[in-house]
Amino acid sequence: MRRVAVIGGGHTRFVTHSPNTSLELLAEASMDAIANSNISPKDIQAINCGNVLGEFTDGQGMIQSYLADDIGCNHVPATRFEGACATGTIAVRDAAIQVAAGVYDIMLVAGVEKATAMDTPLATRTFAMFSDSRYENPAGFTFPAVFAMLCHLYASHYDIPLETLKEQMAQVSVQSHYYGARNPNAQFQKELTVEKVLNGPMVTTPLQLMDCCPFTDGAAAVILASEEMARKLTDTPVWIAGTGQASSGHLASQSRYLPRIRARELSVKQAYKMAGIGPEDVDICELHDCFSIASIIAAESLGFAEFGKAGQLWETGETKIDGKIPINISGGLKSKGHPIGATGVSQVYEVSRQLRGDLADQGRQVDGAKVGLVDTLGGDGVIVNLVLKRD
Ligand code: COA
């Protein structure tokens, strides 16, 4: 297999109620990525496009072919991907495999969502379609409810008083907003305090408003290239050194593992093995923090803390830029936002910028970061992981 690099990326600001269509957002991020990669649209040989809700939010299916046309690439295959919140990461992983296999030399991967085109009740019901439609969705499971349940399970499984866990979770949100306030692409650029989190409105016990990621509009794009092309186009290629993906199925089928998501442990093992690294080698991680408890659960399965202990990473500041394992220095889904079709692409964009050392002027550069990990969860249990490395 050939080596594959991320050679550049583009990003719209993530917002509530964008005045632009999904197609316009996609085109903006894609043209930004093309310009930042020193290529032109005619150099792109294939497009992978992540979009989940286009039919509902824009009345637009087949968005990938209109993207190809709008950016001057209608000569190439354009394929749409859907994997709920993991859509973008699946699209990047698939492109990496195609470039590694020698099918294409340069690919564009772009993702978009306009989730706030729907109001919260409709978006909540629509997102609930990503849970199992036989047993979960009809029983009224929504994603805030799923993670509230995981929170109770976590507290009882590891014998942690709920109040202690809630304070740890609040630290997760406080840190996310601290870095989000320094990320010009973030939806919420406002710092928080633990008191503000704990005194916020209740969404679904025990999750409060500031434990939850928002609904978001926005797009992100990256350009992947073979090693030969990457060496010609950039001095700072960021290699996709390992990938993994696994599916857990509906929650009942994972009952022996919960609150852990079994697919994460399978997926990250594949990614670490392929990259020849372990969790101790990771310098920066963007993980799937759709709810504050989700960060704690993810950090353990990724190998950054013992099971039942990850909350202490945030309590002690080990997840900050100068800590043992910097996590979600973009602001994460919580503060940067979560436009589901774009989220994974945005995570890859962020980690690759960290590995290039691009973020010092935003006050959120992890000094000397060489190895990054991306972690994304879709629905009840599709996990995708990517290990990125710089030379
Ligand atoms: N974090 C921080 N602030 C938020 C927020 C969030 N998650 N969601 C909304 N806000 C802010 C809004 O900007 C608004 O502020 P303003 O009054 O200063 O303008 C205020 O809170 C109320 O916003 P509103 O849109 O009315 O909130 P809501 O009650 O309709 O929705 C949630 C809040 C948390 C219920 C909703 O964002 C949600 O369900 N999030 C989870 C999304 C999800 O499940 N994603 C999939 C994950 S797997």
Side-chain angles (χ1 to χ4, degrees):
M1 289 217 299
R2 304 191 301 176
R3 291 177 90 195
V4 180
V6 180
I7 61 167
H11 211 288
T12 69
R13 179 159 176 202
F14 286 179
V15 297
T16 314
H17 301 311
S18 170
N20 299 108
T21 64
S22 288
L23 193 49
E24 287 166 344
L25 292 170
L26 259 184
E28 181 186 333
S30 300
M31 291 309 289
D32 196 13
I34 289 167
N36 290 336
S37 304
N38 301 318
I39 60 170
S40 75
K42 69 174 171 32
D43 298 317
I44 291 171
Q45 296 169 335
I47 298 172
N48 278 5
C49 180
N51 180 228
V52 182
L53 304 169
E55 287 84 351
F56 298 99
T57 59
D58 293 66
Q60 178 67 73
M62 278 282 290
I63 197 168
Q64 71 280 12
S65 81
Y66 301 104
L67 170 68
D69 194 37
D70 280 10
I71 63 171
C73 288
N74 57 13
H75 56 292
V76 306
T79 310
R80 177 174 167 190
F81 286 75
E82 191 281 307
C85 304
T87 294
T89 330
I90 294 172
V92 174
R93 180 171 180 271
D94 179 87
I97 291 168
Q98 298 206 50
V99 175
V103 181
Y104 302 114
D105 291 321
I106 299 187
M107 284 185 73
L108 165 69
V109 188
V112 69
E113 218 63 64
K114 265 200 73 159
T116 69
M118 299 187 264
D119 61 13
T120 297
L122 179 58
T124 303
R125 288 203 302 280
T126 307
F127 278 42
M129 290 186 210
F130 310 136
S131 63
D132 188 286
S133 68
R134 296 159 299 174
Y135 310 112
E136 294 169 353
N137 186 345
F141 264 42
T142 62
F143 278 100
V146 167
F147 281 89
M149 182 192 77
L150 292 181
C151 202
H152 286 293
L153 270 175
Y154 187 96
S156 68
H157 192 79
Y158 298 113
D159 199 18
I160 300 174
L162 197 55
E163 290 314 309
T164 307
L165 181 58
K166 282 196 60 171
E167 285 192 13
Q168 292 178 339
M169 286 158 45
Q171 297 282 3
V172 174
S173 298
V174 168
Q175 183 189 301
S176 298
H177 274 249
Y178 177 86
Y179 290 116
R182 285 150 182 78
N183 180 352
N185 289 325
Q187 183 172 2
F188 297 120
Q189 298 182 14
K190 206 167 161 186
E191 291 189 36
L192 278 182
T193 59
V194 168
E195 294 67 38
K196 187 153 187 218
V197 179
L198 296 176
N199 292 326
M202 185 58 74
V203 173
T204 171
T205 318
L207 299 181
Q208 294 173 250
L209 179 65
M210 293 300 162
D211 290 305
C212 305
C213 71
F215 294 111
T216 307
D217 299 351
V222 290
I223 304 288
L224 303 194
S226 63
E227 179 168 17
E228 192 187 345
M229 295 307 298
R231 296 272 182 218
K232 286 184 192 153
L233 292 164
T234 178
D235 295 332
T236 52
V238 171
W239 306 105
I240 300 186
T243 79
Q245 184 173 333
S247 310
S248 293
H250 60 82
L251 290 173
S253 70
Q254 303 177 60
S255 56
R256 273 194 308 131
Y257 296 93
L258 296 176
R260 291 152 61 182
I261 307 291
R262 181 169 160 263
R264 180 170 275 119
E265 285 155 44
L266 300 172
S267 167
V268 79
K269 198 168 154 193
Q270 294 166 24
Y272 284 154
K273 186 172 173 204
M274 191 172 164
I277 64 155
E280 64 286 354
D281 300 309
V282 176
D283 299 315
I284 166 91
C285 175
E286 286 286 317
L287 59 71
H288 196 87
D289 60 325
C290 48
F291 299 91
S292 50
I293 186 66
S295 297
I296 292 173
I297 291 170
E300 292 167 2
S301 288
L302 297 175
F304 301 140
E306 283 175 44
F307 290 103
K309 300 262 171 74
Q312 293 168 19
L313 290 177
W314 276 268
E315 266 180 338
T316 55
E318 295 288 16
T319 49
K320 295 184 177 167
I321 53 171
D322 53 355
K324 191 175 80 176
I325 176 62
I327 292 178
N328 290 352
I329 304 304
S330 67
L333 281 54
K334 170 69 198 77
S335 178
K336 184 183 60 174
H338 185 23
I340 52 178
T343 289
V345 188
S346 167
Q347 291 174 310
V348 173
Y349 170 89
E350 270 293 323
V351 171
S352 54
R353 290 198 73 192
Q354 282 283 358
L355 300 187
R356 279 194 206 102
D358 278 353
L359 298 171
D361 61 344
Q362 294 178 17
R364 52 186 194 92
Q365 177 65 48
V366 175
D367 276 341
K370 284 194 164 157
V371 178
L373 179 69
V374 168
D375 168 85
T376 329
L377 163 69
D380 278 357
V382 168
I383 297 277
V384 196
N385 293 113
L386 303 172
V387 174
L388 305 184
K389 273 187 184 174
R390 72 158 209 231
D391 283 329

